[in-house]
Amino acid sequence: MHVRTKQTGTEVVIPVPAEFRIAADMTYAVEKLADGTLQYRPQPIFPKIWQDPASELAQFNKMIGAQDDGQNYGREHVAD
């Protein structure tokens, strides 16, 4: 199978055939090897834990014994 590169703005794009079943919006590390081979390695997808609802975070903290004692320590800012 062969694919043809395409110029898109200032980038050259290499299409991925649909039968490879690569999900859209994935992140890959790319490296050009000494022989000119392009090596793509999928990067892990980390959960967006900072966007969890405050009630779920509080429940999790309670479950692991890390409840907020309501005190400020160092330079942290606790919203009222």
Side-chain angles (χ1 to χ4, degrees):
M1 174 184 305
H2 294 91
V3 295
R4 181 177 293 271
T5 60
K6 298 176 184 179
Q7 183 77 37
T8 303
T10 60
E11 297 179 336
V12 174
V13 177
I14 301 174
V16 178
E19 61 254 27
F20 288 2
R21 295 189 175 146
I22 303 296
D25 205 32
M26 293 289 297
T27 301
Y28 286 82
V30 62
E31 182 179 355
K32 186 175 180 182
L33 305 180
D35 67 355
T37 300
L38 297 177
Q39 182 180 58
Y40 288 82
R41 292 182 313 279
Q43 297 302 293
I45 300 172
F46 297 105
K48 297 178 180 177
I49 61 170
W50 306 117
Q51 296 177 359
D52 288 345
S55 60
E56 287 183 22
L57 291 173
Q59 183 179 6
F60 175 76
N61 286 337
K62 185 176 182 180
M63 183 181 71
I64 65 169
Q67 295 94 327
D68 186 356
D69 64 5
Q71 301 295 316
N72 290 334
Y73 297 92
R75 295 180 154 190
E76 73 178 306
H77 172 70
V78 178
D80 294 328

